[in-house]
Amino acid sequence: MELLFPLLILALLVPMFLGIRRQKKEMAKTAELQDSLSVGDRVMTTAGLYGTVEALGESTVDLEIAPGVVSTWSRMVIRELVTEDADDLDDDDDVDESDNADVNGHADTPGDGAATTLEETPEQTQRRLDKE
């Protein structure tokens, strides 16, 4: 019975200690990332905003969030570097304009009043399923 109280205290303190230790490691990793930023890096903020680093200050970073739109943020809000896979970039080039053509061979555009139906060829469906 005398050992029950110290074991209870130990059982509560060990998980707390491990949680604090993990949190410190993640904070150190984030601080290292924020210190290693360079102009041209693609980043995501804690708010989920994607941008490109345009300029760096001692405690601030200027992010281009749209072409010609630059805003200033604290370095502390940078959550992660964004890397784009080469596969994602190649898939955008594979889009064929004839895939969007109607029966008469005219391409549907958003402004032509035609209802847009998205139909895939069997090859496109297979490519999409292979990626997932």
Side-chain angles (χ1 to χ4, degrees):
M1 188 69 177
E2 294 176 10
L3 291 176
L4 185 60
F5 185 69
L7 288 175
L8 181 64
I9 296 295
L10 187 65
L12 293 174
L13 291 179
V14 168
M16 188 174 76
F17 172 74
L18 294 174
I20 290 171
R21 191 168 160 220
R22 183 185 64 208
Q23 185 178 13
K24 282 184 181 181
K25 283 183 180 179
E26 289 192 24
M27 286 178 61
K29 184 176 152 185
T30 302
E32 181 183 333
L33 166 73
Q34 292 166 353
D35 290 338
S36 69
L37 291 175
S38 61
V39 175
D41 286 344
R42 183 104 170 111
V43 296
M44 183 178 77
T45 67
T46 55
L49 179 78
Y50 290 87
T52 304
V53 176
E54 289 295 314
L56 295 165
E58 194 169 312
S59 63
T60 61
V61 60
D62 291 343
L63 297 179
E64 182 177 31
I65 55 178
V69 179
V70 178
S71 59
T72 302
W73 295 74
S74 169
R75 277 187 185 233
M76 301 300 289
V77 302
I78 304 300
R79 174 183 282 170
E80 64 184 58
L81 284 175
V82 178
T83 57
E84 296 181 16
D85 294 340
D87 295 338
D88 293 340
L89 296 175
D90 292 341
D91 293 340
D92 295 339
D93 298 337
D94 293 342
V95 175
D96 187 10
E97 291 300 322
S98 64
D99 293 342
N100 296 331
D102 63 7
V103 176
N104 297 326
H106 298 96
D108 286 338
T109 59
D112 69 356
T116 331
T117 58
L118 298 176
E119 295 183 22
E120 294 181 327
T121 64
E123 293 82 18
Q124 290 172 326
T125 303
Q126 188 62 43
R127 257 189 280 155
R128 181 176 51 86
L129 293 174
D130 287 342
K131 282 186 196 174
E132 296 174 0

